[in-house]
Amino acid sequence: MASLRELKGRIDSTKKTKQITGAMELVSASKMSKAEQNARGFVPYAEKLQEVVGSIANSNTDVQHPMLVKREVKKTGYLIITSDRGLVGAYNSHILRNLVSKIEEKHASKDEYTIIVIGRKGYDFCRKRGLPVAQSILGVADHPTFADVKSLASETVQMYADQEIDELHIIYNHYVSAISQVVTNKQLLPIEHIEEQDVSTSDYEFDPNQEEILEVLLPQYAESLIFGALLDGKASEHAASMTAMRSATDNANELIGDLELSYNRARQAAITQEITEIVGGVAALE
């Protein structure tokens, strides 16, 4: 059995850890609230952009764009959104497990795919396993702006335009609620089923013409999907961190209770031993 001093030291250190995890939980909760607002605030812009693109795609014209046309897939791009730090529970492992599963399912060679990474955890994972990384961005802010990822987003879309990749999938954690995040894997390029989505009945006048507008809007639309997924992923990251810190605090409380029980038992045993020795000494003097 551990000594009273050792038990007391473990109790004190666990209480200090509990204070840290409790503070980190509050910080993560604050960040999650702001990140959730950012993610929800971006939705109207994305929906309006989709509405305009859908209006052109639904029009009775011969307007076409390479980003709307499916072609033979020789190489696939995967854009993954992970965190830069740990202490987020299974947030990163779910994303990376999904990536590995898709690679093993669809590809026989590393020449058949490439990876675009947002977040240090995903970057380190790919590098350690020798997975091909075409682009990466590390150290993304807790509340990113479009300027933070514009370069990566535009270069990724340009990879598709230049036929370096023939399809692009994005893998991230979709924010459902503070306690629920769902791993999402969806095709970003080519843009499919936009004609089937509900669009406004608003009448648009296009100047100079639909083809030129589509040439500008489609890359912006694809880039907005990447940014929207990043905002969504950040909300999920902070929610996962908050949940992990809350769980750590609860575990610390449980551990402190067990240690205090052991400490009290050891203390009682020591007192009993001292009383026994005193009584034995008195009896010997008689």
Side-chain angles (χ1 to χ4, degrees), residues 7 10-11 14 254-264:
L7 288 172
R10 290 185 62 189
I11 291 172
T14 305
E254 184 178 346
L255 180 57
I256 289 170
D258 292 341
L259 289 172
E260 287 180 340
L261 182 60
S262 298
Y263 178 82
N264 290 333

Side-chain angles (χ1 to χ4, degrees), residues 74-78 99 103 107-115 129-133 165:
K74 298 178 181 178
K75 192 168 188 177
T76 301
Y78 294 97
L99 171 66
I103 290 174
H107 307 290
S109 167
K110 292 181 180 179
D111 296 330
E112 297 178 359
Y113 66 92
T114 189
I115 304 172
R129 287 157 181 77
L131 303 180
V133 175
I165 56 176

Side-chain angles (χ1 to χ4, degrees), residues 5 124 273:
R5 179 177 295 179
D124 291 343
Q273 179 67 26

Side-chain angles (χ1 to χ4, degrees), residues 61-283:
T61 66
D62 294 329
V63 174
Q64 282 293 339
H65 191 279
M67 292 175 65
L68 295 173
V69 179
K70 190 172 184 179
R71 58 182 184 240
E72 180 185 359
V73 179
K74 298 178 181 178
K75 192 168 188 177
T76 301
Y78 294 97
L79 193 157
I80 61 173
I81 300 175
T82 63
S83 69
D84 287 288
R85 298 179 294 271
L87 303 178
V88 289
Y91 173 85
N92 292 309
S93 61
H94 287 164
I95 295 171
L96 298 173
R97 191 179 300 119
N98 187 286
L99 171 66
V100 172
S101 176
K102 290 298 179 183
I103 290 174
E104 293 177 347
E105 176 186 337
K106 296 180 61 176
H107 307 290
S109 167
K110 292 181 180 179
D111 296 330
E112 297 178 359
Y113 66 92
T114 189
I115 304 172
I116 299 95
V117 183
I118 298 178
R120 184 173 297 279
K121 290 297 181 180
Y123 179 81
D124 291 343
F125 177 88
C126 293
R127 284 303 187 191
K128 287 179 181 177
R129 287 157 181 77
L131 303 180
V133 175
Q135 299 180 62
S136 64
I137 181 171
L138 311 180
V140 178
D142 289 326
H143 306 297
T145 63
F146 182 67
D148 295 331
V149 294
K150 176 174 175 53
S151 176
L152 179 137
S154 60
E155 289 175 8
T156 300
V157 173
Q158 190 62 40
M159 287 174 65
Y160 180 84
D162 294 340
Q163 299 189 15
E164 294 180 30
I165 56 176
D166 301 299
E167 64 177 1
L168 176 66
H169 292 260
I170 186 167
I171 306 174
Y172 66 100
N173 267 316
H174 168 58
Y175 177 85
V176 179
S177 68
I179 59 174
S180 177
Q181 300 87 45
V182 179
V183 177
T184 301
N185 184 333
K186 63 182 181 182
Q187 180 174 306
L188 190 66
L189 294 171
I191 300 172
E192 294 183 332
H193 311 302
I194 197 168
E195 299 89 347
E196 301 173 7
Q197 299 177 12
D198 294 333
V199 296
S200 172
T201 56
S202 303
D203 293 328
Y204 292 98
E205 293 183 2
F206 301 101
D207 183 35
N209 59 62
Q210 292 174 320
E211 186 173 358
E212 291 187 27
I213 292 175
L214 201 63
E215 191 74 27
V216 174
L217 278 187
L218 277 176
Q220 290 184 0
Y221 176 60
E223 292 170 12
S224 74
L225 292 179
I226 294 174
F227 181 57
L230 175 60
L231 294 178
D232 201 358
K234 277 296 180 181
S236 296
E237 177 186 337
H238 297 315
S241 177
M242 182 188 72
T243 301
M245 292 302 98
R246 180 180 300 162
S247 178
T249 302
D250 292 341
N251 290 339
N253 281 327
E254 184 178 346
L255 180 57
I256 289 170
D258 292 341
L259 289 172
E260 287 180 340
L261 182 60
S262 298
Y263 178 82
N264 290 333
R265 286 175 176 172
R267 184 166 172 269
Q268 290 171 0
I271 293 172
T272 301
Q273 179 67 26
E274 290 177 2
I275 293 174
T276 303
E277 290 174 355
I278 292 171
V279 171
V282 171

